[in-house]
Amino acid sequence: MSDRTFATLIDRSTKPKAWMDVAKGAAMYMVVLFHTSLYFGEADITGIPGRIKQFLEAFPMPAFFLISGMFALRMHTWTFTQVWRRRLFPLLWLYVVWSLVRFVFYVIVPGTNGDLGALPATDLRAIALLLVWPSNSYWFLYALMWFTFGAWALRQVPVWLKLAGAASLSAAITSGFLDFHNLGWNRTAALFLFFLIGALFHERIVGFVTSSGPWTLVALIAVYIALSVGVVALPGARHVPFAVTVMQLLSLAAGFLACKYLAMVRPVAAVLRTIGEWSLQIYLLHIFLIVSMVALLEWLLPPTGGAVGAVIVFGCSVITTYVAILLSRLTTKVRWLYVPPKRFMRTVKKATPEPSA
């Protein structure tokens, strides 16, 4: 490879926080791949080993919540009215609106299967219980709303106490000691820790990624793989308290540092930054695309596995991501799908009481 080609591919002048958008993009694609393999597996189209799927769970959602927490750096200085108007109400709007969109989609589109292992997507109880029983599809928005409120409400609690409580709750869920029998509540309880870490240690996280070198990355990957293999392979290891939590923290450290270097590779960074830029919209839309493809392929193909199944799953995950970006650009023109109308925001501003401290 010539120096000119190398210079074209590698950008050494990336901004210190360029890795964040790349990390969001990588995490979003991993979510799409995980859900593609999950739903396609229900249609007997397999190819990705189940243990690899467990690796896909370690990084994406902790990464999203930690980065979301990093953007809540100054939230502790806000009043409740400001938190409600700027963060809580917009998240509640997204959650309710897209839960209704989800309901209508599964009523209209025949042959699609909504939430695996939860209330059927067309069950009216799912709408009636929306605010207390989050769906498998949009629990992320529900959790982010509670994380935002929780971080604000606990702003005067000592840091060590908040982290100890959140870490203990996370360990209780991931070890199986505690189970709310609802994926949304289980994930909410298990992942609050990462939002807190992002909110409390923004500068330290950026400093770590900025100052760490390739040998640190190699060491983190080695330790992460060793621990992950142990957690996945050894009987009962997953149920050891804090084992999964430590694995997730290692995956974040290694993943964020890897994304710093990926951000320097122009073609890779361009793709992942685009996915990261549209990550919210992709998250909201991708399941509709996946279940539609499942319904079609289940009708066209016999049970398929091995290398062919893996190619189908990976290929469809790429198609899903690409089409979701196209739909994102289209649907954002309908502003109320993503942002509360201004008249609602004015009403909220007038109606929101300021609680006593």
Side-chain angles (χ1 to χ4, degrees):
M1 181 183 293
S2 66
D3 291 342
R4 183 178 227 175
T5 303
F6 185 80
T8 303
L9 290 176
I10 303 300
D11 180 6
R12 297 186 180 278
S13 61
T14 55
K15 296 178 181 179
K17 296 183 181 180
W19 60 269
M20 287 189 186
D21 287 333
V22 173
K24 285 170 60 180
M28 189 64 249
Y29 175 69
M30 291 172 73
V31 169
V32 174
L33 177 59
F34 176 76
H35 285 152
T36 303
S37 65
L38 186 68
Y39 280 89
F40 276 45
E42 291 294 310
D44 290 324
I45 301 171
T46 59
I48 299 180
R51 290 180 177 178
I52 291 180
K53 296 175 188 177
Q54 294 185 51
F55 286 105
L56 293 176
E57 291 183 280
F59 177 77
M61 300 318 298
F64 274 126
F65 285 125
L66 192 144
I67 293 173
S68 296
M70 292 176 73
F71 286 103
L73 181 64
R74 297 180 179 83
M75 194 174 62
H76 66 280
T77 64
W78 295 353
T79 65
F80 176 77
T81 299
Q82 290 172 319
V83 175
W84 173 253
R85 290 184 60 241
R86 295 177 185 179
R87 297 288 176 86
L88 298 180
F89 182 69
L91 286 169
L92 179 62
W93 177 270
L94 270 177
Y95 175 62
V96 172
V97 166
W98 280 90
S99 294
L100 293 174
V101 169
R102 165 182 166 270
F103 176 81
V104 171
F105 173 86
Y106 288 115
V107 168
I108 293 175
V109 182
T112 53
N113 182 20
D115 285 331
L116 303 178
L119 286 173
T122 54
D123 193 326
L124 284 172
R125 289 176 298 172
I127 300 299
L129 298 174
L130 201 58
L131 299 182
V132 294
W133 198 255
S135 71
N136 286 11
S137 294
Y138 295 136
W139 67 268
F140 170 80
L141 297 170
Y142 190 78
L144 191 55
M145 181 176 63
W146 283 112
F147 291 173
T148 302
F149 176 74
W152 179 85
L154 298 173
R155 64 196 182 282
Q156 295 182 356
V157 174
V159 170
W160 70 268
L161 185 57
K162 288 189 284 193
L163 289 176
S168 298
L169 184 58
S170 180
I173 292 292
T174 55
S175 65
F177 178 78
L178 182 64
D179 187 352
F180 292 109
H181 302 289
N182 174 273
L183 182 142
W185 276 116
N186 282 343
R187 294 286 177 87
T188 299
L191 294 167
F192 181 44
L193 171 67
F194 301 99
F195 186 89
L196 272 183
I197 290 173
L200 294 170
F201 301 113
H202 178 110
E203 296 303 327
R204 293 186 187 182
I205 294 167
V206 173
F208 164 77
V209 175
T210 302
S211 62
S212 297
W215 288 112
T216 302
L217 174 59
V218 171
L220 284 169
I221 291 174
V223 175
Y224 168 69
I225 290 175
L227 179 61
S228 298
V229 169
V231 169
V232 172
L234 296 177
R238 189 178 180 88
H239 300 295
V240 175
F242 296 102
V244 172
T245 305
V246 171
M247 186 176 75
Q248 290 171 325
L249 289 169
L250 283 169
S251 77
L252 289 176
F256 287 165
L257 192 49
C259 287
K260 180 180 80 168
Y261 293 105
L262 288 176
M264 298 178 185
V265 184
R266 295 180 195 272
V268 176
V271 171
L272 292 179
R273 276 200 304 266
T274 300
I275 297 173
E277 178 186 353
W278 295 99
S279 57
L280 173 63
Q281 291 83 359
I282 295 171
Y283 165 75
L284 293 169
L285 291 163
H286 78 283
I287 290 292
F288 300 142
L289 298 172
I290 291 171
V291 297
S292 298
M293 283 192 287
V294 168
L296 178 62
L297 292 177
E298 194 173 22
W299 179 66
L300 292 175
L301 297 177
T304 307
V308 174
V311 169
I312 291 173
V313 170
F314 276 108
C316 287
S317 69
V318 172
I319 293 170
T320 295
T321 305
Y322 178 73
V323 174
I325 292 172
L326 296 180
L327 288 176
S328 297
R329 291 171 173 162
L330 180 64
T331 57
T332 47
K333 295 178 181 179
V334 185
R335 284 183 55 82
W336 60 265
L337 283 173
Y338 300 98
V339 181
K342 291 182 179 179
R343 64 178 181 275
F344 278 91
M345 295 303 294
R346 286 194 293 267
T347 302
V348 166
K349 182 177 180 180
K350 294 177 182 177
T352 305
E354 189 64 45
S356 57

